Structure formats: structure tokens, C-alpha cells
Amino acid sequence: MNKQEIPDIIISRLPIYLRALRHMQAEGKLSTSSQELGERIGISAAQIRKDLSQFGEFGKQGTGYDIAYLIEQLREILRVERVWDVALVGMGDMGHALSRYQGFSDRGFRVAMVFDNDPAKIGGQVGNYIVRDAKELVAAIQASGIKLVMLCVPASAAQEVTNQQVEAGVKAILNYAPINLNVPAGVRVQYLDPSIGLQRMTYYLG
Amino acid sequence: MNKQEIPDIIISRLPIYLRALRHMQAEGKLSTSSQELGERIGISAAQIRKDLSQFGEFGKQGTGYDIAYLIEQLREILRVERVWDVALVGMGDMGHALSRYQGFSDRGFRVAMVFDNDPAKIGGQVGNYIVRDAKELVAAIQASGIKLVMLCVPASAAQEVTNQQVEAGVKAILNYAPINLNVPAGVRVQYLDPSIGLQRMTYYLG
DNA sequence: TAGATTGTTAATCGATTAACAATC
DNA sequence: TAGATTGTTAATCGATTAACAATC
């Protein structure tokens, strides 16, 4: 239960388990085994059991895991049993797409405000949002207590905007900009650069 | 040099090195050290040297690495010294954003064709592309020899479309759909589900 | 009950780090 | 030369897997 004892690599698998369990649930399944779950996501049954055992005993010998119960437990562990407000910064094509993304609401997230620094965009409407001036970013994030940001600005602006976010109290950044971000301890970054994703696979192309 | 001997975790770091080196180059730097590169991206100097040593000797004692030379070497190792044609499947908001993304061309990729199954979109123009009917996908990919796909269809369609792509000879899929894909050996998938990215960080939010 | 499957331990495997001779 | 930094080896650390008693 002590957080610094759970390796990050285990935490990073839990959302995968959760996603697969919800798909099983949507298919009408009521229970599953570590074996079956593992086959679906390409992870060994032993690893799934070991990972889950870090947090408690969620299964039953002989019958496996109740899907609804395990989903509930994983949501609590990951703290997505609640809904987190997220700020979206940079309303280019990627920011625009994320502002309209339907997949956040039932996974624990809500885009609460969107920012850009382009006068042509500020004040305009994108999806359900009015684009706010990036100059208000620090004050608005501080006032709202937002801890999560999705960063969709150009690489050239990403570090500066990140510094502002950190100053405003942001603790987690989903970074779409193709650049490494330097953040202080206690702030986390997940990288979603599409080119990196592709370059991780070309090595293997025959 | 034998490909099955190089661990995937090493391959997955090389694009990060490459990206950072290109930023250094853009800043006018000519050479760097494993120490300096490591500080920039949060990876130990020893690990960078160990990773690179899998592929050859690219540095000089005392002076470090020539940035232009190391970039060239990494591009060859990753096979992005050439340009790969990529098919984009699913022209919702995310597909639309990726079709207009400017970051692919100088990282080794080019969106060559885009597909959707919506009659309202087929034949229409998005960015520089005419949207093609997803029914033509297998034939078009086979004919063109495309090995890379960016998948932006809804989760409910992702596995079926993946099966078609595999049949057509696709070897690498960048998957934006929030679902695990089952693919045969020899086909690789990289996952870019934004909700998973966020859920990997909420655990740590105090 | 018999079969299935958990949670956990010990063994194995693999990745990272520290240290340093070589050398630019 | 003296200082810096590589490539590599050995040591350490951490993650995965195999196996099985417990038990549903």
C-alpha cells in the first residue's frame, strides 16, 4: 500500500487491465481469470496475478475474478473512480481533436478549459469550449486547482508553457509535442509523439 | 548486429536519443557527451553508452559524440534515413489531425493515403488527401506495399480493420483506438490511447 | 468431490549502474 | 601533458516466470 514501494512499471499496466476488463464487461462477461485476461492483452497470467497482489486479494481460487468488482478496485487504485478536470493547451489540429474526444468522460477525465496564444483563436469556440488566452493559464489553473494538462503546443513553445504549468501547480502532463520536457520531481510526463511511436517499429520492418 | 539479440527496450530509446540530438543540432551544437544527452532526457550516461555500443562505436574518448554523425547513424539503425509511406485509417477528428500533422516528413514518414468507411466522407477532401473507401483498403495497401498504418477508427471497429490490414501485409500499427489489438507474430503495435496516458499518472496525484 | 485458479515464494532472467582501462 | 569521456566488464538491482500449497 505504501506508494513508493509499488514500481511504476506495475502502475503503468493497471490501465491496460482496466481497459480490457471493461471491454469484457461490455461483452456481457461476468468473471474472468488471469489466464484469460492475459491472453487478451498479451501479458502472462503470473504477471497479472503478481501485479494485482500488490494491492490486495481480488480473486477467488477456482473461479477467478469478478469483473465488475475488479474494475471497481482498479478504478479506486488508479483514482479514476472520480472525474479529473484537465486543461488543454494549444488548439491546433491535435488540441482540436482532443477537445472533441468522446473517450475521456467514462474513463475519469473531463476537459475543463482550453487555451491558445493565437489572437485569432482566443475567444472563439471549439467544440463546447471558448478558447482562453494562454496568458490567463497560470491564474486559471491555480484558481481551479487543475493538476492535469494535455499539451498540444509546438515543440518550440512546449518547455516554456510547461514551466508555467508547473508554476501553476500542474502535476501531470500528457505531452503531444515532439520534445522532451524537463520538469521538477513530483511532476510526471507521459509522451505521445506519433513519430516516436512509428520510429519504434521501423527498426523491425524487413 | 543480429536483430533478435537487441532488446526491444533499447530500440525504444533510440528515437528519444535521435529526437534530442536533433534539438541539440537545431540549437547549433556540434558535439555532445553521454552525460549531457542523458541530463537532457533523464537517462543515465552509462545507459546511453551501453545502448549505443550495441550497434557500434560512435564516440571518441575525451570529446564525446559528433552530433551530425550520431544522428546519421541512428537514422540508419532505425531505418528512418528513408521515407516510409503510411496509411491513415479512420478520418474522425484524430485522423484529420494526423493527416495535417507537419512533424512526419523530416522524421521519416509520409501519409500516402487515407481511408474511411463513411459514405459522407469517402471521396471528400481532407488536407491534401481524397478520402478513400475503406473497402479498397486491402487492395490499395497490397498494391502500394505499405507496411505502416495509423489506426484512428472507433474501438468497436479496430480489431476487424486490423485483421484486414494484417491480411494486406501491414507490419506495424500505430493504434489510437482505445482497445488492445490481437496481431500475429511479426506485426507490431504501438498504443497511443490518451486515457491510458492520463490514467498512468493519476495514481500519483496527491 | 474433482477441477480450476488464486496468491505467493523461490528461481530465473534481464536490465541498469558503477567502475575503470583505454585513449582522444 | 592533463583532463575528459568513451566502450566494456562485473556487480547490482529489479522484473518476470515457474511452481505449488491453499482453497473456492
Side-chain angles (χ1 to χ4, degrees):
Chain A
M1 285 299 177
N2 191 327
K3 292 212 171 185
Q4 54 253 61
E5 289 175 9
I6 312 265
D8 186 60
I9 196 161
I10 291 181
I11 302 301
S12 76
R13 280 191 292 260
L14 301 185
I16 309 292
Y17 301 163
L18 178 55
R19 186 175 64 182
L21 288 163
R22 294 185 73 154
H23 283 297
M24 286 179 173
Q25 191 176 51
E27 293 162 8
K29 291 180 67 71
L30 294 176
S31 71
T32 188
S33 64
S34 57
Q35 170 90 27
E36 184 183 47
L37 177 58
E39 277 169 12
R40 191 176 278 237
I41 59 180
I43 292 179
S44 78
Q47 178 148 89
I48 291 170
R49 294 202 303 278
K50 191 106 202 293
D51 285 354
L52 295 177
S53 75
Q54 301 287 318
F55 304 96
E57 305 189 358
F58 306 122
K60 275 207 192 78
Q61 287 100 325
T63 57
Y65 301 91
D66 180 273
I67 289 176
Y69 177 70
L70 188 51
I71 286 173
E72 192 187 321
Q73 294 299 308
L74 285 172
R75 292 181 71 209
E76 282 181 20
I77 292 166
L78 290 170
R79 314 191 67 192
V80 291
E81 84 286 8
R82 52 166 284 185
V83 175
W84 295 89
D85 278 353
V86 182
L88 179 47
V89 185
M91 292 305 288
D93 290 309
M94 188 60 66
H96 183 262
L98 288 172
S99 75
R100 294 163 50 89
Y101 187 65
Q102 296 303 302
F104 290 129
S105 61
D106 69 347
R107 292 181 179 90
F109 306 102
R110 180 179 81 99
V111 175
M113 47 183 82
V114 310
F115 296 92
D116 203 289
N117 69 353
D118 179 354
K121 288 179 182 162
I122 294 164
Q125 188 150 4
V126 175
N128 301 317
Y129 305 97
I130 303 293
V131 179
R132 301 179 62 162
D133 190 334
K135 289 196 191 96
E136 306 170 11
L137 188 146
V138 172
I141 286 179
Q142 269 174 343
S144 64
I146 283 178
K147 299 289 178 231
L148 284 161
V149 164
M150 296 191 286
L151 186 62
C152 304
V153 304
S156 54
Q159 184 62 58
E160 189 189 332
V161 173
T162 294
N163 295 346
Q164 291 172 17
Q165 290 164 357
V166 169
E167 181 196 336
V170 166
K171 297 298 181 195
I173 299 169
L174 193 69
N175 179 28
Y176 282 83
I179 189 170
N180 201 272
L181 299 177
N182 286 113
V183 293
V187 179
R188 302 198 160 250
V189 184
Q190 287 278 316
Y191 294 89
L192 295 179
D193 179 346
S195 297
I196 297 278
L198 292 171
Q199 289 182 345
R200 282 178 170 164
M201 301 190 286
T202 47
Y203 172 81
Y204 299 98
L205 294 182
Chain B
M1 282 300 175
N2 193 327
K3 291 211 171 186
Q4 54 252 63
E5 289 176 11
I6 311 264
D8 186 60
I9 195 162
I10 291 182
I11 302 301
S12 75
R13 281 191 292 261
L14 300 184
I16 309 292
Y17 301 163
L18 177 55
R19 185 175 65 183
L21 288 162
R22 293 185 74 154
H23 283 297
M24 286 179 172
Q25 190 176 50
E27 292 162 9
K29 291 182 66 70
L30 296 176
S31 72
T32 188
S33 64
S34 57
Q35 170 89 27
E36 184 184 47
L37 177 58
E39 277 170 13
R40 190 175 279 236
I41 59 180
I43 293 180
S44 77
Q47 178 148 88
I48 291 171
R49 295 202 302 278
K50 191 107 204 295
D51 286 353
L52 295 177
S53 74
Q54 302 287 318
F55 304 96
E57 304 190 359
F58 306 123
K60 277 208 194 76
Q61 285 100 327
T63 57
Y65 300 90
D66 180 273
I67 289 175
Y69 177 70
L70 187 51
I71 286 173
E72 193 186 323
Q73 294 298 308
L74 284 172
R75 292 181 70 210
E76 284 182 20
I77 292 165
L78 290 170
R79 315 191 65 192
V80 290
E81 85 286 7
R82 52 167 283 185
V83 174
W84 295 90
D85 277 354
V86 182
L88 179 47
V89 185
M91 292 305 288
D93 289 310
M94 188 60 67
H96 184 262
L98 288 172
S99 75
R100 293 164 50 90
Y101 187 65
Q102 296 303 301
F104 291 129
S105 61
D106 70 346
R107 291 181 180 90
F109 305 102
R110 180 179 81 100
V111 175
M113 46 184 82
V114 309
F115 296 91
D116 203 289
N117 68 353
D118 179 353
K121 288 179 182 162
I122 294 165
Q125 188 151 4
V126 175
N128 302 317
Y129 305 96
I130 303 294
V131 179
R132 302 178 62 161
D133 190 334
K135 290 196 191 95
E136 306 170 13
L137 189 146
V138 173
I141 286 180
Q142 269 174 343
S144 64
I146 283 178
K147 299 288 179 236
L148 284 161
V149 163
M150 296 191 286
L151 186 62
C152 303
V153 304
S156 54
Q159 184 63 58
E160 189 190 331
V161 174
T162 295
N163 296 345
Q164 291 173 18
Q165 290 164 359
V166 168
E167 181 196 336
V170 165
K171 297 298 180 193
I173 299 169
L174 193 69
N175 179 28
Y176 283 84
I179 190 169
N180 201 273
L181 298 179
N182 286 114
V183 293
V187 178
R188 301 199 160 251
V189 183
Q190 287 278 317
Y191 294 88
L192 294 179
D193 179 345
S195 297
I196 297 278
L198 291 171
Q199 289 182 344
R200 281 178 171 164
M201 301 190 287
T202 46
Y203 172 81
Y204 299 98
L205 294 182

